[in-house]
Amino acid sequence: MQVTTIGYWGAYPEVNEATSCYLVQENDTNILLDCGSGALAKLQNHISLEDLDAVFISHTHTDHMADIYSLEYAMLIQTQLGNRTRPLDIYIYAEDIASLSFEYPGIVSVHQLQLTDHIFVGDLHVTFSENKHEIPCCAMKVTNPQGSSLVYSADTGYCDAIIEFSQSADLLIIECSFYEAQYRKIKGHLNTTDVSTIITKSKARKVVITHLPHFGQIRKLAEEIEALSQKNVQTAHEHLTITI
Ligand SMILES: [Zn+2]
Ligand SMILES: [Zn+2]
């Protein structure tokens, strides 16, 4: 299974970059975890949009789904051009997906995610866990036929659920929105102290921090976590690809 970082900023993208979006690939299967602002332009460096099989949206904050409507238009045009013959499955964790602004039900199939769902897309199996956030938000686990697993935290405050859900994951992509000095000053997100505790307790084999802040020195996030946890972590950046 190959995991590529498409976007990794929190809130809004820095110049020529994107907010949360990860491409997960196994053989011919291509899925997206979140589809943030700027993601579509970046994604096309890696695959053609018509080759996408499914998109999973962790919650409806726009830094995680801003480009989903542009993707619907892309699917419409690629279908009209004859390059795509099936609807794109879009799975969204939200209270009410009927209030969302999709316009072409034959082009995209929008599904309301339940935490108990087990979604199979080609060779990949996706499961979910409730986060602690301002609105309903879920973490996602993607497992391949060999049993390798990726856990993507999406947005969450500190909670036992994310520790349990990411137990022994081969790769944990975890949000890190704040520095050590900002310990729990803002609810619904993690700082470096929280991340250190979670990765120590979860025993994830590889860790990538994401959903990065627009202030401070980004390299300090990993430095603080490594000092607190004695574990190596990578900081997300564009085109970072990890095979597990
Ligand atoms: Zn966010
Ligand atoms: Zn959020």
Side-chain angles (χ1 to χ4, degrees):
M1 177 161 50
Q2 185 169 290
V3 186
T4 302
T5 302
I6 305 298
Y8 57 93
W9 290 101
Y12 68 93
E14 289 285 336
V15 63
N16 292 328
E17 296 192 344
T19 62
S20 296
C21 183
Y22 305 87
L23 171 64
V24 185
Q25 299 172 288
E26 172 84 20
N27 298 322
D28 292 336
T29 305
N30 302 301
I31 68 172
L32 280 192
L33 307 183
D34 281 341
C35 188
S37 175
L40 283 203
K42 293 296 175 188
L43 180 60
Q44 291 170 89
N45 289 309
H46 298 277
I47 62 165
S48 298
L49 297 180
E50 59 264 30
D51 291 335
L52 270 179
D53 294 300
V55 182
F56 293 84
I57 302 291
S58 63
H59 64 308
T60 55
H61 280 159
T62 51
D63 53 334
H64 297 258
M65 68 173 291
D67 270 14
I68 198 71
Y69 300 118
S70 302
L71 181 58
E72 184 185 32
Y73 278 124
M75 293 298 105
L76 174 65
I77 290 166
Q78 291 304 320
T79 302
Q80 290 169 337
L81 291 172
N83 296 329
R84 190 172 170 97
T85 55
R86 60 197 164 119
L88 176 68
D89 286 309
I90 300 175
Y91 299 89
I92 302 181
Y93 190 59
E95 273 173 6
D96 179 18
I97 61 167
S99 62
L100 300 174
S101 303
F102 293 98
E103 291 181 67
Y104 301 99
I107 298 297
V108 293
S109 295
V110 183
H111 312 273
Q112 186 148 0
L113 269 179
Q114 309 291 334
L115 290 175
T116 52
D117 282 346
H118 287 252
I119 311 285
F120 292 87
V121 185
D123 292 325
L124 297 173
H125 174 207
V126 191
T127 54
F128 311 91
S129 170
E130 179 88 66
N131 284 344
K132 195 172 171 184
H133 200 47
E134 299 163 273
I135 61 170
C137 178
C138 67
M140 307 175 185
K141 184 184 292 176
V142 186
T143 309
N144 73 359
Q146 291 74 42
S148 299
S149 62
L150 150 73
V151 171
Y152 164 54
S153 75
D155 287 3
T156 188
Y158 184 87
C159 58
D160 290 338
I162 189 66
I163 296 169
E164 205 169 300
F165 193 58
S166 55
Q167 277 302 310
S168 305
D170 293 290
L171 173 61
L172 171 58
I173 299 177
I174 186 164
E175 76 129 285
C176 187
S177 301
F178 297 102
Y179 297 87
E180 191 173 359
Q182 297 161 306
Y183 182 64
R184 297 194 188 167
K185 282 186 177 163
I186 294 168
K187 288 182 179 172
H189 290 287
L190 302 173
N191 82 332
T192 53
T193 312
D194 295 318
V195 171
S196 303
T197 306
I198 291 167
I199 68 173
T200 301
K201 290 188 173 181
S202 78
K203 303 183 180 70
R205 292 185 179 88
K206 283 185 187 169
V207 176
V208 171
I209 54 170
T210 189
H211 202 272
L212 304 181
H214 297 272
F215 48 84
Q217 293 177 295
I218 294 298
R219 65 172 173 76
K220 283 201 168 179
L221 295 167
E223 288 174 7
E224 289 179 2
I225 294 165
E226 288 178 350
L228 289 163
S229 69
Q230 308 303 312
K231 287 174 173 286
N232 290 327
V233 299
Q234 277 183 280
T235 303
H237 58 81
E238 191 182 351
H239 307 311
L240 172 66
T241 296
I242 295 178
T243 301
I244 54 174

